[in-house]
């Protein structure tokens, strides 16, 4: 009786042996008559790479949007605010001093806020007027660090105004120009209600990078704003800054005893922008699910590729089995083949996704210059630049998902290869 003693390199080991890796990679290099298998393998590889890259890019852009919007919203407005229910809040300096004593509160500034009509050069538009002290406005870095014209020292004058870049373009205003503000409520006279107007000289123009602010915000001195809106000795509210804007609920509890009985309400940035950030979160989750489907489809391509490969290599599998290769070895051979497609696709997709995310705004500008069309309109997307913020944990999650799906997709064809009867395979060849 002939007994075959398998060579040393074909013995099973705890990990993938050199023999198994050699056979797996040899099978992936299809011969001419196996061209269709090679094509499907390439499609599987490209599908996984595309899915991983798309997921990383989309997640990075969504994170960038949220981070930039949050930074600009918090940078322009307080983390919390105390607003008067009657329109005017007297005794605001004493209240602000009490607020600053609370641990974790880094600032409390009085504010006059109201809507008005801005008029210049026969053009008119609605504006949001913010009355602030010069020192408080200078401390707001999103304004003081982004002045493209003028300087903060000019804001000390009673008739000074600092406006956004897009508002200046809309009204044709430059440094030293005049903007006329018209209050929504006029002055009662013997001849009826007359519009309440006042002209301000442009002391500076800022570019905050967010369309909502650049297009409508007008900053004027606090005392001028109090007179313009006829608030007397009061203000409309107090803006409060904290050391952790994510924990506003904790600070609201500390503020409650200070405002009890004062007919005011406490408002935080999360309440003011709840729907906006909720929409971004929903869109981000939906895009994650949709783009994960690309990887799932590519995983099904891996299954079909390996099944066709098993069928085509039936004779080779039978010969290897008769030479001493075990079922476990054959299963690992095809598992390595399928997993290699997924691992290489995930690697290439990760590199491409990261490179694209890190250079996305430059790529946008290049495409716009070549096509002659504006791809990212600030009026639609709120921001003037396309942001991207790569989160390492999310990148790892995407890669793990791609690898897991590919590994799972490789199991069934590998099992079929291991279960192939060598006698039957040789009989039908």
């Amino acid at each position: 009786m002939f007994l075959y003693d398998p060579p040393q390199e074909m013995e099973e080991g705890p990990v993938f042996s050199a023999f198994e890796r050699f056979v797996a990679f040899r099978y992936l290099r299809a011969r001419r008559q196996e061209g269709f298998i090679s094509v499907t393998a390439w499609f599987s590889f490209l599908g996984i790479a595309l899915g991983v890259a798309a997921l990383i890019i989309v997640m990075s852009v969504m994170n960038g949007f949220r981070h930039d919007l949050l930074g600009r919203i918090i940078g322009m407005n307080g983390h919390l605010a105390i607003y008067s229910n009657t329109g005017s809040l007297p005794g605001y300096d004493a209240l602000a001093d009490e607020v600053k004593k609370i641990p974790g509160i880094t600032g409390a500034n009085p504010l006059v806020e109201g809507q008005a009509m801005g008029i210049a050069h026969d053009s008119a538009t609605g504006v949001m007027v913010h009355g602030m002290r010069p020192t408080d406005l200078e401390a707001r870095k999103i304004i003081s660090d982004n002045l493209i014209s003028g300087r903060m020292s000019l804001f000390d004058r009673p008739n000074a105004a600092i406006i956004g870049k897009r508002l200046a373009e809309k009204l044709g205003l430059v440094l030293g120009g005049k903007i006329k503000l018209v209050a929504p409520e006029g002055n009662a006279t013997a001849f009826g209600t007359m519009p309440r107007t006042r002209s301000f000289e442009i002391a500076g123009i800022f570019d905050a990078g967010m369309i909502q602010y650049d297009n409508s915000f007008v900053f004027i001195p606090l005392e001028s704003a109090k007179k313009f809106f006829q608030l007397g000795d009061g203000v409309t509210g107090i803006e409060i800054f904290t050391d952790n804007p994510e924990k506003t609920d904790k600070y609201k509890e500390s503020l409650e005893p200070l405002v009890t009985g004062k007919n005011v309400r406490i408002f935080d940035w999360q309440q003011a922008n709840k729907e906006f950030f909720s929409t971004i979160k929903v869109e981000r989750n939906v895009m994650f699910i949709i783009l994960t489907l690309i990887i799932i489809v590519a995983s099904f391509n891996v299954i079909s590729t390996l099944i066709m490969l098993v069928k085509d290599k039936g004779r080779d599998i039978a010969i290897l089995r008769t030479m001493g290769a075990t079922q476990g070895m054959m299963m690992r051979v095809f598992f390595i083949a399928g997993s290699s497609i997924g691992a290489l696709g995930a690697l290439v997709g990760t590199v491409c996704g990261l490179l694209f995310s890190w250079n996305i705004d430059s790529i946008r500008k290049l495409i716009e210059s070549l096509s002659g069309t504006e791809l990212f309109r600030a009026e639609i997307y709120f921001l003037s630049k396309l942001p991207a913020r790569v989160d390492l944990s999310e990148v790892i999650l995407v890669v793990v998902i791609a690898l897991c799906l590919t590994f799972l997709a490789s199991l069934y064809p590998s099992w079929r290869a291991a279960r192939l009867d060598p006698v039957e395979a040789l009989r039908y060849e």
Side-chain angles (χ1 to χ4, degrees), residues 262-333:
K262 294 184 180 296
N263 198 18
V264 297
R265 66 187 185 279
I266 303 174
F267 212 61
D268 63 50
W269 69 268
Q270 292 178 337
Q271 289 174 292
N273 304 279
K274 182 178 180 181
E275 293 182 0
F276 190 72
F277 284 101
S278 295
T279 301
I280 292 178
K281 184 177 181 179
V282 170
E283 288 180 351
R284 179 177 173 276
N285 293 338
V286 170
M287 292 301 296
F288 184 88
I289 295 171
I290 292 174
L291 293 175
T292 303
L293 294 177
I294 297 177
I295 304 177
I296 295 175
V297 171
S299 301
F300 279 109
N301 285 341
V302 172
I303 296 175
S304 61
T305 300
L306 292 181
I307 289 177
M308 287 188 292
L309 188 61
V310 169
K311 186 176 181 180
D312 187 79
K313 299 294 183 181
R315 182 181 177 83
D316 294 356
I317 295 171
I319 293 173
L320 289 172
R321 288 293 309 280
T322 57
M323 292 177 65
T326 64
Q327 288 185 337
M329 293 176 70
M330 298 314 303
M331 185 172 183
R332 288 193 290 273
V333 164

